[in-house]
Amino acid sequence: MDFKMLVDKREKKYLLKKKVNKLGTDLGVVDLENKDVGEVVYSHLGEKFYYVEPTLYDVLKRMKRTVTTLLPKDIGFIIARGGIRNGEIVLEAGTGSGVLTMYLANAVGKEGRVITYEKRPEFAKVARENLLRLGLVRKNQPIIGLDEEFNDDIEVEEGLFNVIMKIGDVREGIEERDIDVIVLDMPDPWEVVEHAKKALNKKRGRIITYLPYIEQVKKTVEKLKEEGFWDIQTYELIERVIEVSEKGVRPSTRMIGHTGYITFARVPID
Ligand SMILES: C[S@@+](CC[C@H](N)C(=O)[O-])C[C@H]1O[C@@H](n2cnc3c(N)ncnc32)[C@H](O)[C@@H]1O
């Protein structure tokens, strides 16, 4: 990935692009020239910093965003309950900022592929830069359906390069066939169910939808049933952060009340 990270004594994290070699902070200027990731470094004021590789989670929290992105609790469950694994072909809509895309791409690995549809070119371009920096799309890789060439100055040498980006409204149809999993984070997935039925692999095809409103879930499940999908199940996940202090251990007072409902189903054979 095109990122490295500094962490100060307060555990404040500074995500840096690889080519950045100097950082000004309120704890002084840190010069990274001739320093290796994995070292302790000091600012000109003598303050200590960890110089490390960021995790995908560190990157996610600081990625450029155009839309509300999925949270790790939901992403993790989509992958685990959806049974998404190495080598699978996943089709996703919409790309948004590419946060879910990045985890799907890592789940399917080098042998797999994520084909991601986005109807708004301006969102797809921001997502492309995020995915480029993570080594998931190649330098100068086009976005299918977008009449624009890219001349990237970023090159990530080691990456999965397994994401294909497309501009398109997935409600109008899915060209691809033999897809293992379709993941829809968009407002009206019931409009996609018939296309999904044709596009999914009959042996193992699954569809997963993520929706904020229960009315949307009802409409989606009704459509899935109508089209013969089976093993249909909807979930909501609640996350509680636990605070550990001298006084005791307890859940944090504040929490995220609601994100979305996740529905899973399998494609019918006939
Ligand atoms: C909530 S965002 C997705 C966020 C994304 N999962 C992430 O983690 O960054 C929904 C996206 O779907 C796109 N979208 C909505 N309807 C669509 C459609 N019919 N076809 C393709 N993209 C669509 C929107 O433009 C928006 O970017």
Side-chain angles (χ1 to χ4, degrees):
M1 66 172 83
D2 183 43
F3 296 108
K4 52 194 185 179
M5 193 166 73
L6 281 171
V7 189
D8 69 22
K9 62 182 179 190
R10 301 160 298 192
E11 298 200 357
K12 180 170 175 189
K13 295 172 177 173
Y14 308 82
L15 190 73
L16 306 174
K17 294 186 179 139
K18 274 233 165 104
K19 63 180 177 205
V20 174
N21 269 337
K22 204 169 248 181
L23 178 75
T25 76
D26 60 332
L27 298 177
V29 177
V30 188
D31 189 351
L32 297 170
E33 200 71 53
N34 303 321
K35 299 278 190 281
D36 289 324
V37 177
E39 277 184 39
V40 169
V41 295
Y42 293 88
S43 73
H44 81 292
L45 298 176
E47 295 286 355
K48 184 174 164 182
F49 286 77
Y50 280 169
Y51 184 28
V52 291
E53 283 178 8
T55 64
L56 281 185
Y57 181 65
D58 296 320
V59 175
L60 166 144
K61 292 189 85 178
R62 290 160 186 82
M63 258 164 91
K64 278 196 197 161
R65 279 148 207 256
T66 48
V67 292
T68 309
T69 58
L70 287 190
L71 293 187
K73 73 174 174 81
D74 296 318
I75 294 173
F77 195 63
I78 286 172
I79 291 172
R81 170 64 177 83
I84 300 175
R85 64 184 173 90
N86 185 44
E88 288 199 309
I89 309 292
V90 177
L91 188 140
E92 180 205 23
T95 315
S97 307
V99 170
L100 178 61
T101 321
M102 131 182 147
Y103 281 98
L104 292 172
N106 277 278
V108 301
K110 247 196 162 77
E111 312 294 312
R113 197 160 318 127
V114 178
I115 303 153
T116 182
Y117 280 64
E118 172 57 57
K119 66 175 182 183
R120 294 185 54 176
E122 69 276 25
F123 291 175
K125 285 199 260 180
V126 172
R128 184 184 176 281
E129 192 182 326
N130 287 332
L131 298 168
L132 180 73
R133 291 192 182 280
L134 290 163
L136 299 173
V137 303
R138 282 183 197 283
K139 184 178 157 111
N140 302 337
Q141 182 178 316
I143 300 178
I144 297 168
L146 186 70
D147 194 15
E148 182 173 331
E149 282 185 19
F150 294 94
N151 291 302
D152 302 309
D153 55 6
I154 307 158
E155 181 146 32
V156 176
E157 274 149 33
E158 275 179 45
L160 292 169
F161 307 117
N162 59 354
V163 175
I164 296 168
M165 300 188 70
K166 290 181 87 165
I167 297 296
D169 185 333
V170 77
R171 294 171 303 183
E172 287 170 8
I174 296 174
E175 287 172 0
E176 293 77 8
R177 291 291 176 266
D178 234 13
I179 300 292
D180 296 313
V181 189
I182 293 180
V183 188
L184 302 172
D185 177 9
M186 51 177 281
D188 41 11
W190 52 89
E191 302 278 1
V192 186
V193 170
E194 283 175 48
H195 306 310
K197 196 170 162 180
K198 290 190 204 126
L200 284 166
N201 178 309
K202 299 289 178 228
K203 286 188 242 170
R204 53 182 172 269
R206 293 92 81 195
I207 187 168
I208 305 169
T209 65
Y210 174 87
L211 293 160
Y213 297 103
I214 208 78
E215 291 81 358
Q216 293 168 299
V217 174
K218 188 163 182 272
K219 218 165 160 182
T220 304
V221 170
E222 278 169 3
K223 183 68 182 169
L224 286 167
K225 285 185 180 164
E226 194 183 304
E227 292 298 325
F229 279 73
W230 56 284
D231 203 9
I232 305 172
Q233 190 77 61
T234 300
Y235 301 82
E236 179 182 14
L237 274 85
I238 306 294
E239 175 185 283
R240 292 211 296 176
V241 174
I242 304 299
E243 288 173 359
V244 181
S245 72
E246 299 272 300
K247 280 192 260 171
V249 178
R250 50 161 284 180
S252 170
T253 309
R254 291 198 290 170
M255 64 186 282
I256 295 164
H258 174 67
T259 54
Y261 303 102
I262 309 172
T263 299
F264 299 84
R266 282 194 65 158
V267 74
I269 294 181
D270 50 356

